[in-house]
Amino acid sequence: MNSTAVIIAAGLGTRMKSRLPKAAHKIAGREMLRHLILAAEQVFERIVVVIGPEMDQLATLSRPHHVVIQHERLGTAHAAQQAAPFFGAGPTAIFYADNPLVSAQTMTTLLARLQSGDAQLVLMGTTPPDAGKYGRLIIEDGYVRKIVEFNDATADELQIGFCNAGGLIAAGRDIAAWLSLVGNNNAKGEYYLTDIVEIANRLGANVAALDIAFEECIGVNSRAELAQAEALFQRRARDAAMANGVTMQAPETVFLAADTELGENVTIAPHVVFGPHVRVEADAEIKSFSHLEGCVVRAGAIIGPFARLRPGADIGENAHIGNFVEVKAATLEAGVKANHLAYIGDGHVGAQTNIGAGTIFCNYDGRTKHQTKIGARAFIGSNSALVAPVTIGDEALVAAGSVVTENVPGGSVAIARGRQVNKEKKPPQP
């Protein structure tokens, strides 16, 4: 079929007031451009991203897909024309990176509507709660005759609730032909993609429009709109998680990343934040005020409350990570317990080992990170400092308050603290 998706991402995002290109701003920890690319990858055989000059970050985010540069910002039709060499003869869709929540399902629906054969151009339309300043779609006999911009609409046309949502699809050769006829006779002297609707009608093509859920069509041009898109994404992600067997006691307080993976019968308490790259397996429980990023929580484990799992944390089955415990780049095997006030960084902890309150893995010597290795069924007493690199064997015991700087053999007891001395109070001198 040789289908193509073109994503226009050349906007500077002036209203974002940011040094970042607009399409590089994130929703649920993922750049807006990446949201669209990942959806398009599920539907289209080829993806072409149109960026502006000196947008190296967007070029990187677009890999491994084709990137073309709009050196002069002369409007959306001009941007689309930069990708024309890649259109081919098959279906070609055009999307905007600042409409980042368009789903793969909607893209598939657009493609199917075009292939039904009665329309040569299919638009994404939407019926927003407040049509406001959206361009109105004027429908006659079931087809779109024109798009009327807000400033040009009559009073009657402003009563129309069906609006232009931006995306569209047609045969590549048709889009290329229509784009070549777009002029710039307007106040800004720009070439507008929406003009192809009038051109297509004039040349005898039928133009159809689908009514897409407004939540997928929201545009992001400011920080406030970015927050609105985040809220819409979160609501959709929470609903999907709960539909798949996740329990959320207060879902509106839980924040998910775009790639969060939650297994069946996972329970998430109020006020939990998931950063990117988190997988939680079945029957695990995440308690309140915990923050997880770049980690794996295996089946039946309990995390929190007030726990922090940083990148590289791998928490074993039925392990317990309690309040004010931080884990980073460390593997904790099945049944490990670290229930209070500990830092576990750059290490490996064997099955069924207990980490006492106040334990610190001293992993950094000021220049290099070092590993702490603890065997199975060991017991680390409270307020211990394990100075890496150090290895503590199976079933070893480290006495509370120890500063361990040498390896501890399996089955041994390590006491590394000053000997307690009690000095009796001297009686007062006469």
Side-chain angles (χ1 to χ4, degrees), residues 29-49:
R30 176 181 289 163
E31 296 84 357
M32 291 197 292
L33 176 58
R34 290 298 300 169
H35 278 276
L36 269 185
I37 287 175
L38 292 174
E41 284 177 343
Q42 301 176 54
V43 181
F44 296 95
E45 295 173 282
R46 178 169 52 227
I47 296 172
V48 185
V49 181

Side-chain angles (χ1 to χ4, degrees), residues 57-77:
Q57 183 176 4
L58 295 187
T60 299
L61 291 173
S62 301
R63 292 174 182 167
H65 303 294
H66 301 288
V67 173
V68 295
I69 298 175
Q70 184 189 22
H71 291 283
E72 295 182 89
R73 291 182 172 85
L74 300 178
T76 50

Side-chain angles (χ1 to χ4, degrees), residues 136-147:
R136 298 333 196 245
L137 296 179
I138 308 302
I139 308 293
E140 296 177 7
D141 300 324
Y143 295 104
V144 180
R145 297 307 176 193
K146 61 180 177 178
I147 300 174

Side-chain angles (χ1 to χ4, degrees), residues 107 211 284:
M107 294 178 182
D211 194 352

